[in-house]
Amino acid sequence: SPNVNKALMKDDVVLEDNLCGKSIEEYTNQKFQPFIDEYNLKQTRENRKIKKPYCEYLKSQKQPPKIAYEAVMQYGESTTLGGAYYQATDPAERERLRKELVEVYSAALEKIKEKYPHLDILYATIHFDEDQGTPHMHLCYQPVGDGFKKGLSHQVSLSKALSLDGIERVTSRSEAVLYHGYQQAKWYYAVRHDIIEPLVKARGYTIKKEVPGRK
């Protein structure tokens, strides 16, 4: 990113890293191979068996799903908390703000993992390296649905994963207007309302009202 100050990259904080040096495709292939093996054992015809790694198998479908998504969570704004952190001249104050940011993002991450277990967190990193903005968290997640009757028992599926975790598809006209017709936006709204807002309010801050859009 052109906004990144490379000298500050050392200040970034990795909260979660399940990739452990693997690419997302490598990680996904390894995770889903047991489900491919399970599926193949049930097949009586050789030509029905899946003989490709999972990601290659997905690419052969007419509408292959995305295997991972990234969301960005921001606590505070560049004119408030973000600006205070980057402009702090007192090392103790800067460290206090840094600690607060890490605590809030860590708490939010743990609550997301607890409340939405079908969204597998691949990595979560707090970026302190964009000093013209606000420290923020990048969250990469892989939606995994289970209980499929056709094909593999477990599959990458945003809609299925969100439904299993209590975020149903947008059905009513009012929901379609509020969430721009997208189930994923409905999840963003739930995270904001149920997880982020209580954390912010607990620290005495006010909430900026905003209608969620498609991300």
Side-chain angles (χ1 to χ4, degrees), residues 124-140:
T125 305
I126 306 174
H127 285 223
F128 286 95
D129 54 15
E130 297 181 31
D131 51 3
Q132 300 303 309
T134 299
H136 54 277
M137 179 168 69
H138 284 255
L139 189 70
C140 181

Side-chain angles (χ1 to χ4, degrees), residues 6-206:
K6 293 184 178 180
L8 298 178
M9 291 178 68
K10 59 179 175 49
D11 296 334
D12 292 351
V13 177
V14 177
L15 297 179
E16 189 104 3
D17 180 14
N18 286 318
L19 296 179
C20 299
K22 302 184 185 74
S23 69
I24 293 178
E25 282 204 4
E26 289 172 330
Y27 173 87
T28 303
N29 287 337
Q30 183 176 332
K31 181 168 69 175
F32 281 88
Q33 189 58 47
F35 304 120
I36 290 178
D37 295 340
E38 173 190 61
Y39 172 81
N40 286 343
L41 282 174
K42 297 177 181 179
Q43 305 309 309
T44 56
R45 292 165 51 186
E46 193 67 21
N47 65 348
R48 301 210 39 167
K49 293 182 178 180
I50 299 172
K51 299 180 180 180
K52 300 177 180 179
Y54 185 66
C55 291
E56 289 299 312
Y57 165 69
L58 289 181
K59 290 175 184 177
S60 67
Q61 298 180 2
K62 288 184 178 180
Q63 292 184 315
K66 289 180 63 173
I67 61 172
Y69 297 79
E70 186 174 70
V72 177
M73 182 181 297
Q74 179 175 305
Y75 172 60
E77 297 179 309
S78 60
T79 55
T80 55
L81 185 62
Y85 171 78
Y86 288 118
Q87 295 166 24
T89 55
D90 180 4
E93 174 63 7
R94 189 179 178 93
E95 183 57 32
R96 184 192 70 78
L97 291 168
R98 178 183 175 84
K99 182 179 179 182
E100 178 177 347
L101 287 157
V102 173
E103 286 178 352
V104 170
Y105 287 131
S106 297
L109 175 63
E110 291 307 310
K111 289 181 180 296
I112 288 171
K113 288 165 60 179
E114 178 184 348
K115 192 173 179 68
Y116 304 104
H118 289 87
L119 301 181
D120 180 15
I121 304 300
L122 304 188
Y123 62 77
T125 305
I126 306 174
H127 285 223
F128 286 95
D129 54 15
E130 297 181 31
D131 51 3
Q132 300 303 309
T134 299
H136 54 277
M137 179 168 69
H138 284 255
L139 189 70
C140 181
Y141 58 96
Q142 184 171 77
V144 179
D146 57 48
F148 287 93
K149 301 302 182 183
K150 294 183 179 180
L152 306 185
S153 62
H154 293 64
Q155 301 176 32
V156 170
S157 171
L158 181 62
S159 178
K160 180 75 167 179
L162 289 176
S163 294
L164 288 169
D165 287 341
I167 307 296
E168 298 294 344
R169 287 176 178 270
V170 173
T171 54
S172 69
R173 183 182 295 274
S174 59
E175 278 193 336
V177 171
L178 180 59
Y179 306 117
H180 298 260
Y182 296 103
Q183 186 181 13
Q184 189 178 23
K186 193 174 181 181
W187 175 63
Y188 286 138
Y189 185 89
V191 169
R192 178 186 175 91
H193 178 75
D194 299 333
I195 294 177
I196 299 175
E197 288 191 5
L199 290 172
V200 172
K201 288 179 178 178
R203 292 181 176 271
Y205 295 109
T206 57

